[in-house]
């Protein structure tokens, strides 16, 4: 009993001592202040904590409606072409050429109830027979109405006993980067395939020659999708799927479509004129960026710098000058040459466009009547020439001549070392002022013109004058 009492007493005493020590040494008193080292203040970035309800139907595009409105208007295109086959011993013996049928497939888009179908030129190239299969498995023979290899667009026609479902053209200029789109087509012969993505970029040029202006998307597109529809969330046609960027031949994240405004203009021209009517501004130059702006000593890093103005073009007649920077056309922003060519591809000769240029640090709006794209192809010497601009005349200090834009003449290439870019000033000591003088010579000598050429005088790209004797 005494031991128990002793343990209790010791426990109580130990607790009392521990509590006293805590009060004295550890618990701070209210009257005592301490100085702490100043803590570095945390910098917070602006952040929005507003929740976006992704399930709200108003914020999510309705892919179901868009797909239902378009899938029945996208068709399967079958191209049967005749190509050369490997030559056999029998072919050598009988002196014949072996041929075989080659079948290619792609997609197409019905664009009106009467059976007009838009597709890619490369889908129907070399076709001996064209077959169309609709989404309800009906098969039609198609007629080729016309093509435009430059934009890779072709127009077909089928005859049906009933009105066909079709897709309405949208305005591709109004399409925005980040906007949802659907690609509808027949990849790998899998009919009625729909994939979704967003617009990744606009005015993409895959050629590197500033000729093209594609819409880039990340919607999955594979072989067989070519010629199919790129539609927005409203089911409107904003592009014709044309190409993919791939080292394997299959989709790896990038696909490209001809903008609908360009495609529509091409098919309208084919319907009305039989050929595509190209309106040109008549300028050449360079897209501005950090490097080119520094070389040209200009402050802007976006826009198109006019390096030369074509002779007798709409740009020259309107007063556009070398050194102008084109920033807009009809309120369409121009940051590079592909923007310029893409927009002009929707226009025809004699259309008037409002060109905004920066000149002497001030903006100037210049209305320009687009001219017709014309290059005279000379039959002699396999040369193409065109008139030279005032800028070129000033550059080389000449008052006459025509510019060679293409030459397949091997003899001249060996002599001059160039197949284009040089200026022909005289033929047989006759001054050549324009392509009209070439026409006069052609009319005078006819088919014997090449036999009557004795001397050609030129100015090469270094500004040096040279003459070449043909006899």
């Amino acid at each position: 009993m005494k031991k128990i009492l002793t343990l209790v007493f010791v426990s109580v005493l130990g607790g009392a001592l521990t509590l006293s020590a805590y009060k004295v040494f550890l618990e701070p008193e209210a009257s005592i202040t301490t100085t702490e080292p100043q803590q570095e203040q945390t910098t917070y970035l602006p952040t929005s904590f507003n929740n976006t309800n992704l399930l709200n139907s108003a914020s999510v595009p309705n892919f179901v409606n868009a797909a239902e409105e378009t899938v029945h208007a996208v068709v399967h295109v079958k191209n049967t072409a005749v190509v050369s086959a490997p030559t056999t011993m029998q072919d050598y013996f009988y002196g014949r050429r072996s041929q075989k049928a080659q079948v290619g497939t792609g997609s197409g888009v019905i664009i009106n109830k009467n059976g007009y179908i838009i597709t890619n030129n490369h889908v129907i190239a070399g076709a001996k027979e064209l077959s169309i299969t609709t989404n309800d498995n009906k098969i039609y023979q198609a007629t080729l109405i016309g093509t435009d290899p430059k934009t890779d667009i072709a127009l077909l026609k089928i005859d049906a006993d009933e009105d066909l479902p079709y897709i309405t053209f949208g305005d591709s200029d109004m399409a925005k980067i980040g906007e949802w789109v659907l690609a509808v087509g027949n990849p790998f012969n899998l009919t009625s395939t729909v994939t979704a993505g967003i617009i990744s970029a606009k005015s993409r040029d895959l050629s590197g020659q500033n000729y093209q202006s594609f819409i880039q998307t990340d919607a999955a597109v594979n072989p067989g999708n070519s010629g199919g529809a790129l539609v927005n969330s409203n089911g409107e046609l904003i592009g014709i799927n044309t190409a993919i960027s791939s080292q394997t031949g299959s989709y790896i994240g990038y696909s490209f479509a001809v903008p609908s405004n360009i495609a529509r203009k091409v098919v309208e021209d084919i319907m009305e004129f039989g050929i595509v009517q190209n309106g040109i501004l008549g300028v050449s130059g360079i897209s501005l960026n950090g490097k080119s702006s520094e070389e040209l000593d200009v402050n802007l890093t976006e826009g198109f710098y006019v390096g030369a103005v074509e002779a007798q073009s709409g740009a020259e007649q309107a007063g556009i000058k070398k050194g102008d920077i084109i920033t807009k056309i009809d309120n369409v922003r121009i940051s590079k040459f592909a923007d310029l060519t893409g927009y002009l591809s929707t226009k025809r000769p004699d259309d008037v466009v409002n060109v905004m240029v920066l000149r002497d640090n001030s903006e100037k709006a210049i209305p320009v009547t687009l001219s017709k794209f014309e290059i005279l192809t000379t039959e002699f010497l396999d040369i193409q020439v065109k008139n030279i601009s005032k800028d070129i005349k000033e550059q080389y200090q000449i008052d006459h001549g025509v510019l060679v834009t293409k030459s397949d003449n091997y003899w001249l290439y060996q002599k001059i070392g160039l197949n284009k870019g040089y200026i022909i000033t005289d033929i047989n000591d006759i001054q050549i002022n324009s392509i009209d003088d070439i026409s006069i010579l052609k009319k005078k000598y006819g088919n014997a013109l090449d036999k009557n050429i004795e001397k050609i005088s030129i100015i090469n790209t270094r500004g040096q004058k040279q003459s070449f004797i043909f006899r």
Side-chain angles (χ1 to χ4, degrees):
M1 185 64 179
K2 290 181 179 180
K3 291 182 179 180
I4 295 174
L5 292 174
T6 303
L7 288 173
V8 170
F9 177 78
V10 172
S11 298
V12 172
L13 180 62
L17 290 173
T18 302
L19 180 61
S20 299
Y22 174 80
K23 289 287 186 178
V24 173
F25 297 107
L26 298 178
E27 184 177 73
E29 295 182 6
S31 60
I32 298 176
T33 60
T34 59
T35 302
E36 299 287 347
Q38 186 174 0
Q39 299 293 324
E40 184 177 351
Q41 187 174 359
T42 303
T43 301
Y44 294 97
L45 297 176
T47 305
S48 173
F49 293 100
N50 295 327
N51 288 328
T52 301
N53 184 4
L54 296 179
L55 297 179
N56 185 349
S57 60
S59 64
V60 178
N62 193 330
F63 294 132
V64 174
N65 289 344
E68 287 180 347
E69 291 177 5
T70 58
V71 71
H72 298 294
V74 176
V75 300
H76 186 266
V77 180
K78 180 180 177 182
N79 170 4
T80 302
V82 177
V83 298
S84 297
T87 304
T88 65
M89 292 301 297
Q90 287 183 329
D91 295 329
Y92 283 117
F93 183 79
Y94 290 106
R96 67 189 182 190
R97 178 185 296 177
S98 289
Q99 294 181 322
K100 66 176 181 179
Q102 178 175 287
V103 177
T105 60
S107 303
V109 183
I110 304 175
I111 55 175
N112 71 6
K113 64 181 181 180
N114 298 321
Y116 281 98
I117 296 171
I118 188 172
T119 185
N120 285 142
N121 177 67
H122 76 262
V123 169
I124 55 85
K128 187 175 182 64
E129 182 180 306
L130 289 168
S131 175
I132 300 296
T133 303
T134 58
N135 195 47
D136 56 359
N137 295 320
K138 293 181 180 179
I139 299 176
Y140 301 89
Q141 295 302 307
T143 301
L144 177 61
I145 304 300
T147 68
D148 181 38
K150 182 179 178 182
T151 56
D152 199 15
I153 293 296
L155 181 65
L156 311 178
K157 175 74 165 61
I158 60 175
D159 295 321
D161 297 330
E162 57 186 354
D163 291 348
L164 295 171
Y166 62 91
I167 301 179
T168 302
F169 277 98
D171 186 353
S172 56
D173 287 339
M174 297 301 294
K176 305 297 183 183
I177 295 174
E179 179 180 342
W180 282 102
V181 288
L182 296 180
V184 188
N186 305 283
F188 304 118
N189 286 324
L190 300 172
T191 59
S192 308
T193 297
V194 179
T195 56
I198 63 169
I199 296 177
S200 305
K202 296 176 67 176
S203 300
R204 285 295 196 208
D205 175 31
L206 303 183
S207 69
Q209 303 295 320
N210 295 313
Y211 297 146
Q212 300 169 318
S213 183
F214 289 118
I215 295 173
Q216 178 185 330
T217 78
D218 64 354
V221 169
N222 279 291
N225 270 113
S226 290
L230 184 73
V231 301
N232 59 22
S233 57
N234 296 323
E236 299 167 334
L237 185 67
I238 62 168
I240 300 298
N241 295 316
T242 298
I244 59 176
S245 177
S246 173
Q247 295 179 345
T248 65
S250 298
Y251 174 77
I252 60 170
Y254 302 99
S255 56
F256 303 90
V258 177
S260 62
N261 286 1
I262 295 176
R264 185 182 71 249
K265 186 261 181 184
V266 168
V267 298
E268 286 175 349
D269 279 0
I270 292 173
M271 287 179 176
E272 185 174 354
F273 307 108
I275 59 173
V276 177
Q277 303 284 310
N278 292 314
I280 65 167
L281 191 62
V283 297
S284 58
I286 188 171
S287 300
L288 292 178
N289 54 40
K291 183 178 180 181
S292 61
S293 297
E294 183 178 356
E295 293 174 349
L296 294 167
D297 193 25
V298 298
N299 295 325
L300 289 182
T301 55
E302 289 187 325
F304 181 74
Y305 181 87
V306 178
V309 181
E310 299 288 337
Q312 302 176 8
S313 66
E316 183 183 64
Q317 294 173 6
I320 292 180
K321 299 180 180 180
K322 178 182 179 180
D324 286 346
I325 299 173
I326 298 176
T327 57
K328 288 183 180 179
I329 295 186
D330 291 343
N331 294 321
V332 174
R333 183 184 174 193
I334 305 299
S335 60
K336 53 185 179 296
F337 194 39
D339 295 327
L340 186 67
T341 55
Y343 184 72
L344 292 178
S345 293
T346 68
K347 299 298 179 180
R348 297 183 177 89
D350 297 326
D351 283 350
V352 178
V353 295
N354 196 48
V355 181
M356 185 69 70
V357 302
L358 185 67
R359 180 187 298 170
D360 298 327
N361 294 321
S362 63
E363 287 190 324
K364 181 179 179 65
I366 303 176
V368 178
T369 301
L370 300 180
S371 47
K372 189 175 181 180
F373 180 75
E374 289 183 320
I375 293 181
L376 174 66
T377 302
T378 59
E379 299 301 328
F380 74 101
L381 302 178
D382 297 323
I383 293 175
Q384 287 184 352
V385 298
K386 69 177 182 179
N387 292 330
I388 57 176
S389 66
K390 292 180 180 178
D391 295 328
I392 293 179
K393 289 180 180 179
E394 292 175 358
Q395 179 182 352
Y396 292 106
Q397 298 182 347
I398 56 176
D399 58 4
H400 66 282
V402 290
L403 180 68
V404 176
T405 59
K406 180 182 178 182
S407 174
D408 294 323
N409 188 295
Y410 183 73
W411 185 88
L412 272 178
Y413 175 76
Q414 289 290 96
K415 290 288 185 181
I416 302 173
L418 299 169
N419 58 11
K420 64 179 180 179
Y422 58 91
I423 298 168
I424 297 177
T425 58
D426 300 87
I427 296 177
N428 291 349
D429 292 324
I430 297 174
Q431 182 172 293
I432 303 298
N433 297 293
S434 68
I435 58 177
D436 294 333
D437 292 329
I438 300 290
S439 299
I440 292 172
L441 287 175
K442 289 174 63 179
K443 186 176 181 180
K444 178 180 179 180
Y445 293 108
N447 293 332
L449 176 58
D450 58 339
K451 297 179 181 178
N452 285 276
I453 299 296
E454 298 180 358
K455 180 182 178 182
I456 287 184
S457 298
I458 73 157
I459 296 177
N460 63 27
T461 54
R462 296 185 298 276
Q464 300 170 330
K465 296 181 179 180
Q466 296 174 288
S467 293
F468 300 95
I469 306 299
F470 277 65
R471 295 288 184 267

